[in-house]
Amino acid sequence: MTDNAPVVRLDGITMTFSRGGQALTTALEKIDLEIRRGEFVSLIGPSGCGKSTLLRIIGDLIAPTAGEVTVNGKPATRARLDRDYGMVFQAPVLFDWRTVQGNVELPLEILRFDRAKRTARAREMLELVELGDFVRHHPYQLSGGMQQRVAIARALAFEPSILLMDEPFGALDEMTRERMNLEVLRIWEQTGTTVVFVTHSIPEAVFLSSRVVVMSPRPGRITNIIDIDLQRPRNDATRETERYFELVTAVREALHHPGSTGSSGSTSSTSSSGSAAGPRPPSTGRLAVEGAVG
Amino acid sequence: MSNPALAAPAGLASPATVGMRVRAAGRVLVSRRARLALFTVGLALLFWEGGKLLFGVPWRADGALIWNPPFRIPFFNDINLPHIWAVLGGFFQPWQRGKELLLWEYLAGAALFTWREAGLGFLFGSAIGLVLATVFVHSRLLERAFVPYVIASQTIPIIALAPLIISAFGQSMGSVVLIATYLVFFPVTIAMIRGLRSFDPRALELMRSYASPRRAIYWKLRLPASLPYFFTSLKIAATASIVGAIIGEAPGGIQNGLGRVIVTFSNYYATGPEKLWCAVIASALLGLVFYGLIALVEARTLRGRGPAG
């Protein structure tokens, strides 16, 4: 984490959708955000706040109506062509005609790794997500949580510098989700990848992140950025600390009362410009202002 | 930082038991299907012979009267509907008076010959269908321009087209193969236009996130995702290729196939109706065998995609 240049830089991202060529829906309005190397940033907000759209814009899967995305100092399209992104969606999107191993090798084939390297690399990634015994299985033979772990292994296989995760555990039950959270933290700590994580679960966002970006809908904008200064490594005990509950409460307040935060001034204009520090949420005066990265 | 809680959930069956269960389920399904098929065939035979029992002409064995049906309906006479045992017995008689070769042997040879033509038509036709569909899914313009002609091509009756093809390309096996090809390419084209678009759209996003070139998207996503459609169309194409070959043989001047056999036997139907029925059964069996082969390849290829695949 010596490199302090932002991995992702969003400048005035605006996204409007036209329906029937007439009515314009503003999905995102003037989003500014910086994400530094090795950060774990969650985007959280109610349905329709554009958090998934924002993630897809960062990943160059859709183009914004206005604004600029810079990733590793390049435009997003260049970054995508340079294979800077690993994507994990809410559904695992595994290819059912391939084995688990074959699914993880997919990006490596496209990147033209030679066979030996592909096999070794996929094996290594599957060990990382603790599915080493399931390489020859087909996706339908795995549980939902295991399938999602294959998807994570696949996303990490070619060592992308940034991992984009779109509600990856949204379809899983609560217990599996908590286990997957631990898993993802372990992987993040082992690989040092920058993660942008979309979720609508407050506990998940707080537990995982170094920063939580709170968004509000119509138009989608950033209303608050909250630094999560929980100690690392985090584990099940973390979920029972007082600090954890305070932060969960803080994120919930920020979600439920966007803009009504008064004294701390966490309106969209101030918060969205901040990268080093999130503005102080109103409910507790004890929230960290300094970035607690890593 | 290994975590025992991350191991496979207890509820999940081990791979071995899953495989066993799938195979056992497959066996049950096959035997149930076989019973159902036997039941339908039995039912049809019952109606056939039952009709003859009530409405047919007097039953004779070696000239002696053994049963006189109470009613008479001309449809059930021995020319229209020969007795089933007469048809089955026909297989084991000389295919022509004074010949050594039994009818079943003769029909097997003809069927193999027809299959060669049908098989070639099947290969060419499905290749053309696949290429056309690939072109159409990559170009809306070409799709809009040419798919109507693909459809129109199939509204031309094959009995009108066959003489045209034969007058253009001569009385040869090539013409027959061409007719089979013509019947095969259509179902494959139409099914594969659909099949090559049947991939999960999120998988396309995934491929784009790898900056995957079009070629890789085709070979690694679109084509494998389309295989269930491909095999469905191949099964239709297999039977269509046989129909095409049989229909093409007569005007095509091919002497050794089922088409010629059917024409000959229908000319002599009044003196030996069971022979035509035997030829019909042989054609049907040929179609079933071809279909079954494709189904077998399909089952092997799509194995592993899970119960839904």
Side-chain angles (χ1 to χ4, degrees), chain A residues 87-156:
Chain A
M87 290 278 323
V88 180
F89 302 99
Q90 178 168 356
V93 198
L94 300 178
F95 290 6
D96 58 8
W97 53 89
R98 284 171 175 253
T99 60
V100 164
Q101 169 97 16
N103 269 286
V104 179
E105 284 187 25
L106 172 74
L108 304 177
E109 286 171 21
I110 293 167
L111 268 61
R112 298 181 170 283
F113 280 48
D114 65 57
R115 182 185 289 271
K117 207 169 166 197
R118 274 201 322 254
T119 313
R121 188 90 199 125
R123 193 59 65 92
E124 188 188 332
M125 286 300 116
L126 285 166
E127 296 288 345
L128 182 70
V129 298
E130 304 192 326
L131 285 176
D133 295 336
F134 292 86
V135 289
R136 288 184 193 288
H137 283 57
H138 279 271
Y140 79 97
Q141 295 169 315
L142 306 184
S143 68
M146 292 162 91
Q147 291 189 4
Q148 201 55 283
R149 266 145 67 194
V150 177
I152 292 169
R154 180 181 59 189
L156 293 170

Side-chain angles (χ1 to χ4, degrees), chain A residues 42-53:
Chain A
S42 288
L43 308 177
I44 194 169
S47 306
C49 71
K51 53 194 191 296
S52 284
T53 305

Side-chain angles (χ1 to χ4, degrees), chain A residues 42-255:
Chain A
S42 288
L43 308 177
I44 194 169
S47 306
C49 71
K51 53 194 191 296
S52 284
T53 305
L54 187 59
L55 193 80
R56 279 177 161 69
I57 288 172
I58 296 175
D60 190 45
L61 293 176
I62 48 178
T65 314
E68 220 174 304
V69 186
T70 314
V71 174
N72 291 328
K74 304 169 281 196
T77 304
R78 185 70 250 159
R80 182 170 64 82
L81 295 177
D82 288 350
R83 277 91 178 209
D84 286 354
Y85 303 111
M87 290 278 323
V88 180
F89 302 99
Q90 178 168 356
V93 198
L94 300 178
F95 290 6
D96 58 8
W97 53 89
R98 284 171 175 253
T99 60
V100 164
Q101 169 97 16
N103 269 286
V104 179
E105 284 187 25
L106 172 74
L108 304 177
E109 286 171 21
I110 293 167
L111 268 61
R112 298 181 170 283
F113 280 48
D114 65 57
R115 182 185 289 271
K117 207 169 166 197
R118 274 201 322 254
T119 313
R121 188 90 199 125
R123 193 59 65 92
E124 188 188 332
M125 286 300 116
L126 285 166
E127 296 288 345
L128 182 70
V129 298
E130 304 192 326
L131 285 176
D133 295 336
F134 292 86
V135 289
R136 288 184 193 288
H137 283 57
H138 279 271
Y140 79 97
Q141 295 169 315
L142 306 184
S143 68
M146 292 162 91
Q147 291 189 4
Q148 201 55 283
R149 266 145 67 194
V150 177
I152 292 169
R154 180 181 59 189
L156 293 170
F158 56 101
E159 297 182 314
S161 64
I162 167 168
L163 189 58
L164 304 177
M165 305 179 89
D166 189 3
E167 295 187 33
F169 310 133
L172 303 181
D173 63 81
E174 194 62 26
M175 282 173 303
T176 312
R177 178 193 279 241
E178 289 194 355
R179 222 168 52 210
M180 294 299 293
N181 285 347
L182 280 170
E183 180 90 336
V184 112
L185 272 189
R186 180 179 61 78
I187 291 166
W188 174 67
E189 278 156 11
Q190 273 179 29
T191 58
T193 312
T194 309
V195 180
V196 186
F197 190 98
V198 167
T199 180
H200 52 231
S201 161
I202 298 168
E204 184 172 71
V206 170
F207 183 70
L208 293 175
S209 311
S210 30
R211 277 193 297 155
V212 174
V213 175
V214 180
M215 297 179 68
S216 75
R218 284 176 294 276
R221 58 175 91 195
I222 295 174
T223 54
N224 219 322
I225 295 177
I226 297 172
D227 278 301
I228 306 298
D229 54 0
L230 293 168
Q231 273 190 337
R232 293 189 188 276
R234 297 173 190 173
N235 50 39
D236 282 327
T238 310
R239 292 188 208 271
E240 280 150 30
T241 61
E242 198 190 335
R243 186 74 191 128
Y244 173 74
F245 287 119
E246 285 170 3
L247 287 162
V248 166
T249 305
V251 173
R252 183 172 295 126
E253 297 263 321
L255 271 169

Side-chain angles (χ1 to χ4, degrees), chain B residues 89-152:
Chain B
F91 279 113
F92 301 99
Q93 278 163 12
W95 75 273
Q96 205 177 342
R97 197 166 302 147
K99 300 276 173 151
E100 277 281 296
L101 204 62
L102 296 181
L103 184 59
W104 76 266
E105 297 168 313
Y106 177 70
L107 287 174
L112 276 178
F113 187 88
T114 299
W115 196 0
R116 266 217 322 250
E117 301 159 338
L120 284 173
F122 175 82
L123 287 181
F124 294 142
S126 37
I128 292 170
L130 186 56
V131 169
L132 280 180
T134 302
V135 169
F136 292 151
V137 297
H138 283 98
S139 162
R140 288 263 175 200
L141 185 71
L142 291 177
E143 184 189 2
R144 277 200 206 124
F146 289 107
V147 167
Y149 294 102
V150 170
I151 294 162

Side-chain angles (χ1 to χ4, degrees), chain B:
Chain B
M1 264 182 78
S2 94
N3 184 340
L6 295 168
L12 191 79
S14 86
T17 61
V18 167
M20 267 156 58
R21 218 179 296 148
V22 167
R23 269 195 297 282
R27 261 201 301 280
V28 170
L29 205 68
V30 165
S31 77
R32 188 188 295 163
R33 262 192 188 161
R35 265 180 293 165
L36 195 66
L38 278 179
F39 177 74
T40 0
V41 169
L43 208 63
L45 296 185
L46 199 71
F47 273 104
W48 181 303
E49 287 300 337
K52 293 186 70 67
L53 199 72
L54 291 175
F55 311 112
V57 295
W59 295 25
R60 292 174 198 282
D62 298 326
L65 182 76
I66 53 170
W67 170 248
N68 198 0
F71 311 102
R72 288 283 192 284
I73 295 177
F75 176 77
F76 288 97
N77 67 33
D78 285 349
I79 299 296
N80 278 338
L81 297 181
H83 280 292
I84 286 155
W85 45 88
V87 173
L88 292 180
F91 279 113
F92 301 99
Q93 278 163 12
W95 75 273
Q96 205 177 342
R97 197 166 302 147
K99 300 276 173 151
E100 277 281 296
L101 204 62
L102 296 181
L103 184 59
W104 76 266
E105 297 168 313
Y106 177 70
L107 287 174
L112 276 178
F113 187 88
T114 299
W115 196 0
R116 266 217 322 250
E117 301 159 338
L120 284 173
F122 175 82
L123 287 181
F124 294 142
S126 37
I128 292 170
L130 186 56
V131 169
L132 280 180
T134 302
V135 169
F136 292 151
V137 297
H138 283 98
S139 162
R140 288 263 175 200
L141 185 71
L142 291 177
E143 184 189 2
R144 277 200 206 124
F146 289 107
V147 167
Y149 294 102
V150 170
I151 294 162
S153 77
Q154 300 299 307
T155 64
I156 304 169
I158 192 76
I159 48 166
L161 194 81
L164 291 178
I165 288 179
I166 284 152
S167 81
F169 296 97
Q171 287 201 327
S172 66
M173 199 171 131
S175 295
V176 178
V177 170
L178 194 62
I179 290 164
T181 305
Y182 177 83
L183 286 187
V184 162
F185 94 97
F186 180 71
V188 177
T189 308
I190 298 299
M192 287 306 279
I193 289 175
R194 188 75 187 275
L196 290 170
R197 292 198 173 118
S198 70
F199 56 83
D200 184 341
R202 295 166 303 187
L204 188 63
E205 281 200 324
L206 186 73
M207 295 298 268
R208 287 194 52 217
S209 79
Y210 305 142
S212 176
R214 256 188 171 195
R215 212 173 334 116
I217 290 176
Y218 180 78
W219 289 107
K220 295 188 192 298
L221 174 61
R222 300 188 90 144
L223 198 61
S226 76
L227 283 187
Y229 289 80
F230 190 51
F231 280 110
T232 301
S233 70
L234 287 189
K235 284 190 281 189
I236 299 168
T239 52
S241 73
I242 295 204
V243 172
I246 289 176
I247 288 179
E249 276 172 358
I254 303 295
Q255 299 299 325
N256 318 10
L258 282 175
R260 168 55 60 187
V261 172
I262 287 171
V263 169
T264 310
F265 287 171
S266 60
N267 287 342
Y268 296 99
Y269 187 74
T271 54
E274 71 282 351
K275 283 187 181 167
L276 183 61
W277 283 100
C278 288
V280 167
I281 291 171
S283 313
L285 282 179
L286 177 58
L288 278 177
V289 167
F290 204 174
Y291 182 98
L293 272 180
I294 307 295
L296 211 68
V297 176
E298 175 186 35
R300 286 194 70 87
T301 311
L302 302 187
R303 188 178 51 188
R305 294 197 182 197

